[in-house]
Amino acid sequence: MTDYDLNVLSIGAGVQSSALALMAEEGRFGEPPDCALFADTQWEPEEVYEQLEWVEARVSFPVHSVTAGNIRQDVLDAVGSASVRRIAPPPFYVRGENNAGGPLFRECTTEYKIQPQQRKIRELLGYKKGERVKKRVRNWFGISIDEASRMRDSRDRWIDNYYPLCDNNISRRDCRDFLVEHGMEKEPVKSACVGCPYHSRAAWAHIKRDRPKDWKDVVDFDNALRKGKLPGVEGDAYLHSSMDPLELAVMKDYNEDQ
């Protein structure tokens, strides 16, 4: 069995990773991690930040927040800008010639989630930027058995990815029930940026119906995407897969469901 110099839990403060943190605290998977890392895009729903605080109050290991900046503002600053030459875009849907189009390649996870966490891990191990890491790290992830296809090996030889929920056949529903049983009063919410293009039709409808502040935010953001071009992108960008303005697309979805 590998002897690790550092055990780190990547926490998004959604359902699975929050449950994993509390299960780990209880010792369900042996010794708990040395710490948890929360990569903050600065555009999470308020409920996610509340869930993070709730988890922090119930675990003995430290939870470090790291960030690469505000993804929402970074995108808006790049729209139509001559000085911003590249961004790490979310998978916006882009309409090109002849109304054809599709999603951009997702780069936001790497630059706003993975890289900030890895910089913190190097810091915790005592390495400076550019130094070769000679220690071993086990990185815990809250991926449940119903999402097992998301499991990946680490690209870094010094990091081993660890999926204890999958190893123990624990589902997302199990995690949700566990959090409720342990006193989470509100229904646990999914960790995702407020304006994530991967939101389902149901998720957009939920934001419009139940989160009016966030709904105004995403509608304004979606409209602002087309006030200029994004670096390296020729067509118009949209949040919704229909490549219609978000307000119109969600209204169409609602009418189709009636």
Side-chain angles (χ1 to χ4, degrees):
M1 186 173 182
T2 304
D3 185 18
Y4 293 99
D5 298 288
L6 185 68
N7 271 267
V8 175
L9 190 155
S10 292
I11 184 168
V15 176
Q16 289 101 316
S17 64
S18 295
L20 174 60
L22 267 63
M23 291 176 182
E25 175 69 16
E26 292 183 353
R28 289 198 179 194
F29 315 112
E31 289 294 318
D34 300 301
C35 65
L37 297 181
F38 173 72
D40 187 6
T41 66
Q42 301 182 38
W43 203 20
E44 294 279 353
E46 289 183 10
E47 291 89 345
V48 166
Y49 295 110
E50 292 171 359
Q51 286 174 187
L52 180 66
E53 291 182 3
W54 186 86
V55 171
E56 281 189 89
R58 287 161 175 79
V59 297
S60 57
F61 48 85
V63 179
H64 305 289
S65 289
V66 296
T67 187
N70 186 315
I71 189 172
R72 180 189 190 280
Q73 193 59 52
D74 288 349
V75 170
L76 293 182
D77 288 346
V79 173
S81 172
S83 60
V84 179
R85 297 191 175 183
R86 76 166 294 276
I87 58 169
F92 297 131
Y93 296 91
V94 175
R95 187 190 298 278
E97 295 182 2
N98 301 320
N99 267 352
L104 297 176
F105 182 76
R106 181 178 63 173
E107 299 180 44
C108 52
T109 297
T110 297
E111 295 201 18
Y112 287 88
K113 293 281 189 177
I114 297 173
Q115 291 179 357
Q117 290 195 37
Q118 289 198 352
R119 285 194 290 269
K120 184 64 177 181
I121 290 172
R122 293 176 66 93
E123 176 190 320
L124 293 169
L125 291 172
Y127 287 95
K128 297 178 182 178
K129 183 179 180 180
E131 287 186 323
R132 182 183 177 187
V133 179
K134 298 180 181 179
K135 296 182 179 180
R136 300 292 302 173
V137 174
R138 181 165 66 170
N139 199 352
W140 302 40
F141 289 95
I143 291 178
S144 53
I145 191 63
D146 37 334
E147 298 181 348
S149 61
R150 293 177 56 206
M151 292 193 297
R152 298 288 186 275
D153 290 333
S154 172
R155 294 181 179 179
D156 297 285
R157 293 182 179 179
W158 50 280
I159 297 178
D160 288 336
N161 291 348
Y162 175 44
Y163 301 96
L165 298 179
C166 288
D167 290 350
N168 290 273
N169 203 38
I170 297 172
S171 69
R172 188 180 192 278
R173 179 71 184 188
D174 295 331
C175 291
R176 180 261 178 202
D177 292 345
F178 176 87
L179 292 174
V180 172
E181 289 167 4
H182 282 68
M184 183 172 279
E185 295 180 357
K186 293 183 179 179
E187 180 71 17
V189 300
K190 181 179 180 180
S191 173
C193 285
V194 174
C196 179
Y198 281 163
H199 284 327
S200 64
R201 292 172 57 180
W204 287 126
H206 164 68
I207 294 173
K208 177 178 173 62
R209 182 181 64 248
D210 300 328
R211 291 159 47 191
K213 180 180 176 182
D214 285 342
W215 177 246
K216 182 180 185 308
D217 182 27
V218 290
V219 168
D220 290 347
F221 177 83
D222 178 70
N223 290 333
L225 285 177
R226 294 178 295 282
K227 291 182 178 179
K229 300 298 183 184
L230 290 167
V233 177
E234 294 299 325
D236 290 331
Y238 298 82
L239 283 179
H240 197 276
S241 59
S242 67
M243 292 178 289
D244 286 325
L246 184 63
E247 199 162 26
L248 174 61
V250 174
M251 185 179 297
K252 286 182 177 178
D253 286 345
Y254 174 81
N255 290 335
E256 288 176 3
D257 290 340
Q258 298 307 300

